[in-house]
Amino acid sequence: MQPSISALPMVVPMDKPIPAFYCCYLLRSQNRRACYIGSTPSPARRLRQHNGDSKGGAKKTSMQGRRPWEMTCIVAGFPSHFAALQFEWAWQNTHMTRHIDRHLRDARIEDLQRRGKKGNASPSKRRSRPPLSMEARLKNLHYLLGVKSFERWPLHLRFFAPDVFGLWDKYTAKLTPTLRKTITIMLTPAELPIAATQASTEDQTSKIPTVIRAIAVAYEDCKPYVEKSRSLLDGGRAQSCGVCRKRLDTSTSLSLVCPLETCRTVSHMACLSNKFLAEEGDRNALIPIQGTCPGCRSPLKWTTLVKELSLRIRGKQEIEAMFKPKRRKQANSVSEHEMTEAQDLGEDEELEDDWMQEVDDEDDELLSFEDGLGDKINDTR
């Protein structure tokens, strides 16, 4: 009987592995003072869609005069598609999201009502999403990264636009509370997209920056890790837990493998979770963020360990595709590759204004899931 995952990061579908990649992003129009927040499993593909170079993209980004769009930053590390949508909607609607304290949310609503009265707007329009400056969007992002709902997610922030990174430092330097140290913030400057108008049409084509195209969005980076786990766990050799030193039966117990090539440490999931939580010193936490390997003493991220585990026990198709011999490229390989990529990664979604009701419905299911998750982990302590 195949074991089930009981301590993966929050909101992971139980029949699928943790996604190879998922992020929220902030676009900036190079022609007008406009921004757009979205989410995607493939930033390069999504940017091509927003700029009209391939099919898809949100209606708001296709408005005349706004293209080309520049991807200024991404927030990555989401444990599921739904988790990214939660964060995306909260980032877009900080005046309405329940992830922000009520008194702060009410202050935003009062501000919206004042705007509505000044503009003689009808009551139905006073709760609409306000136009936000870059400063407001960056401050909202900083706040969301620190709220309780997201504070233990393995998120990291990556900037591609140096000037926006400078604004982030300027606007958030004195904000409280400060972000936890486990959130990595980095700048990898991207060359600006080069827009060129085709001679025969009015359509614009844009160059996707190299650093964005180089983002690993598939499981290929996990291949050496999966190969190592297979050799350790499928060889029939007896294993002992690196934490409790007791026998580890991989057919009945969830096991985590150190990702370092030279380390052969294998641990019970519950044992390693308890060890990491003890190192963090947070008694209220259920799921750890990071810790040290009991064998090689190297710092490890919990999400790295459970991502490989979820792929190992829930990603049969993904692993088969990973180890499948690659075919030679044919003349029409580019179009075939794009079709395959779209099928594998799925369609990106544009959140509508009524998505809040769907969040309310899903929150009840999420709370039940988290309660059950906490009970399972507490039973192992």
Side-chain angles (χ1 to χ4, degrees), residues 126-333:
R126 292 176 187 172
R127 292 286 297 273
S128 61
R129 186 184 307 151
L132 295 178
S133 63
M134 178 64 72
E135 177 180 357
R137 294 177 193 273
L138 293 177
K139 286 183 175 179
N140 288 343
L141 173 59
H142 182 278
Y143 188 84
L144 286 173
L145 289 173
V147 299
K148 291 183 178 180
S149 301
F150 309 122
E151 66 179 357
R152 297 194 66 80
W153 284 8
L155 302 179
H156 54 273
L157 179 58
R158 183 176 178 182
F159 286 90
F160 304 115
D163 63 320
V164 176
F165 179 70
L167 292 175
W168 165 269
D169 277 345
K170 176 183 177 182
Y171 296 145
T172 64
K174 297 181 180 180
L175 293 182
T176 55
T178 57
L179 297 183
R180 53 183 167 86
K181 295 181 180 180
T182 53
I183 295 181
T184 303
I185 302 174
M186 61 185 299
L187 169 64
T188 52
E191 68 274 17
L192 292 178
I194 302 174
T197 303
Q198 298 178 358
S200 57
T201 66
E202 294 298 324
D203 296 335
Q204 288 186 329
T205 59
S206 60
K207 177 184 177 183
I208 304 300
T210 304
V211 294
I212 295 178
R213 286 189 284 110
I215 295 174
V217 298
Y219 288 105
E220 287 300 316
D221 286 356
C222 297
K223 189 173 181 178
Y225 192 3
V226 173
E227 287 180 316
K228 174 188 174 180
S229 297
R230 277 181 163 185
S231 65
L232 286 176
L233 304 178
D234 297 343
R237 295 187 298 272
Q239 299 285 349
S240 60
C241 174
V243 181
C244 70
R245 304 301 178 184
K246 295 181 180 179
R247 183 175 180 273
L248 193 154
D249 187 348
T250 58
S251 64
T252 59
S253 301
L254 294 174
S255 55
L256 298 177
V257 179
C258 178
L260 273 69
E261 183 179 357
T262 57
C263 182
R264 302 179 66 83
T265 303
V266 181
S267 306
H268 290 115
M269 186 177 196
C271 291
L272 195 60
S273 173
N274 290 335
K275 179 182 184 299
F276 281 13
L277 288 172
E279 291 178 3
E280 291 181 20
D282 189 344
R283 295 183 178 182
N284 296 321
L286 294 177
I287 299 176
I289 297 176
Q290 60 186 18
T292 56
C293 173
C296 65
R297 308 298 179 186
S298 300
L300 302 177
K301 292 185 177 181
W302 181 255
T303 183
T304 302
L305 299 167
V306 296
K307 182 177 180 180
E308 186 278 330
L309 170 63
S310 72
L311 184 60
R312 191 192 332 141
I313 69 176
R314 297 295 189 190
K316 181 179 179 181
Q317 294 181 350
E318 288 80 2
I319 290 179
E320 288 178 353
M322 186 189 305
F323 289 94
K324 185 177 181 180
K326 295 183 179 180
R327 298 178 181 179
R328 290 185 178 182
K329 293 184 178 180
Q330 300 178 355
N332 61 344
S333 60

Side-chain angles (χ1 to χ4, degrees), residues 57-126:
K59 294 180 181 179
K60 294 178 183 178
T61 59
S62 62
M63 296 176 65
Q64 186 176 7
R66 290 191 174 185
R67 288 171 173 168
W69 291 90
E70 173 192 6
M71 189 168 286
T72 63
C73 66
I74 61 173
V75 182
F78 295 99
S80 71
H81 174 205
F82 177 71
L85 287 179
Q86 273 193 314
F87 192 91
E88 175 190 356
W89 197 92
W91 194 2
Q92 292 174 344
N93 300 274
T94 51
H95 63 294
M96 294 176 64
T97 178
R98 294 192 301 177
H99 295 292
I100 291 181
D101 292 341
R102 179 179 292 275
H103 70 281
L104 295 175
R105 198 169 67 238
D106 289 345
R108 290 296 301 274
I109 293 175
E110 291 177 3
D111 181 60
L112 287 175
Q113 291 174 339
R114 287 195 297 270
R115 290 170 182 257
K117 290 178 181 179
K118 290 181 180 180
N120 296 322
S122 62
S124 62
K125 293 184 179 180
R126 292 176 187 172

Side-chain angles (χ1 to χ4, degrees), residues 6-26:
S6 61
L8 293 180
M10 298 298 184
V11 207
V12 180
M14 290 293 98
D15 60 339
K16 296 181 180 180
I18 295 175
F21 182 86
Y22 227 103
C23 74
C24 290
Y25 57 86
L26 175 62

